[in-house]
Amino acid sequence: MVRTDTCNNTVAQADCDVTCWNNFGCVNYCDTDEVLHCGDEIHGSTVGAENRTTYYYNSQTTRDDMYGPEVSYKFTSECDGEFSLQFASDASLAVFVIKESSNHCSNSHLVDYGSYLNNVVSWAAESGNTYYIVVDGYDGAAGDFDLQVLCFCGNCLDNDEDNFYGYD
């Protein structure tokens, strides 16, 4: 069965990760077992990954030009504070922060995003909140990227025992 959502995206029901049609269209899940922590730095690639969704949205923003393959990571905030991703890529990639909903990463719960042009994404979170970090390609792009997770905890403690407050 083929459906067209309100953004004119045509999606075959078999392309959904789960059978979950609603009035908007296919809810694409970006779940993962790959975990990130405060201070982690990774060098990754979207080359050869699956293209599970083409758009991400919330009540104020829609990105509907993400036709490249994507990789995702799970991040649970270790404290109350502000969190940032530093992102770099020579390819036309973007990084999305998605808040977990019903134990899943759904493309409809976009918190914020950045790109190879605007490479820092920041958001506030409470301890224990889970987010998914998704790296996706514009218009079919795929490539390598560098990603670093920075955490600025408001608890005034040396959380990682390096004589600095918070995580770094």
Side-chain angles (χ1 to χ4, degrees):
M1 171 156 76
V2 175
R3 303 278 298 256
T4 302
D5 66 19
T6 57
C7 294
N8 291 321
N9 291 310
T10 303
V11 188
Q13 187 171 4
D15 290 341
C16 291
D17 289 343
V18 296
T19 304
C20 54
W21 293 98
N22 62 24
N23 290 334
F24 187 77
C26 175
V27 176
N28 292 286
Y29 288 132
C30 39
D31 290 342
T32 182
D33 292 327
E34 296 285 327
V35 176
L36 290 178
H37 299 282
C38 290
D40 281 356
E41 295 181 40
I42 60 168
H43 177 74
S45 180
T46 62
V47 175
E50 290 183 67
N51 179 17
R52 294 185 289 177
T53 189
T54 59
Y55 57 97
Y56 302 86
Y57 62 99
N58 60 28
S59 62
Q60 293 138 358
T61 302
T62 297
R63 289 298 328 189
D64 61 357
D65 51 355
M66 307 310 297
Y67 290 93
E70 67 262 2
V71 295
S72 55
Y73 305 91
K74 190 174 189 175
F75 172 78
T76 301
S77 54
E78 301 171 27
C79 61
D80 293 351
E82 184 172 320
F83 302 87
S84 293
L85 300 174
Q86 290 187 337
F87 178 73
S89 179
D90 290 332
S92 296
L93 302 179
V95 60
F96 296 88
V97 177
I98 312 288
K99 188 164 194 225
E100 184 174 70
S101 174
S102 301
N103 296 316
H104 287 288
C105 172
S106 172
N107 62 337
S108 63
H109 289 84
L110 174 66
V111 174
D112 203 357
Y113 72 97
S115 72
Y116 66 105
L117 300 173
N118 176 17
N119 58 6
V120 176
V121 179
S122 296
W123 74 101
E126 295 177 0
S127 180
N129 287 349
T130 298
Y131 298 86
Y132 292 85
I133 312 306
V134 181
V135 179
D136 203 340
Y138 289 100
D139 298 319
D144 296 338
F145 62 89
D146 292 307
L147 182 67
Q148 182 177 15
V149 181
L150 301 174
C151 304
F152 305 97
C153 298
N155 60 7
C156 296
L157 299 175
D158 181 10
N159 295 305
D160 55 4
E161 300 176 2
D162 64 355
N163 297 319
F164 294 100
Y165 292 130
Y167 289 90
D168 45 83

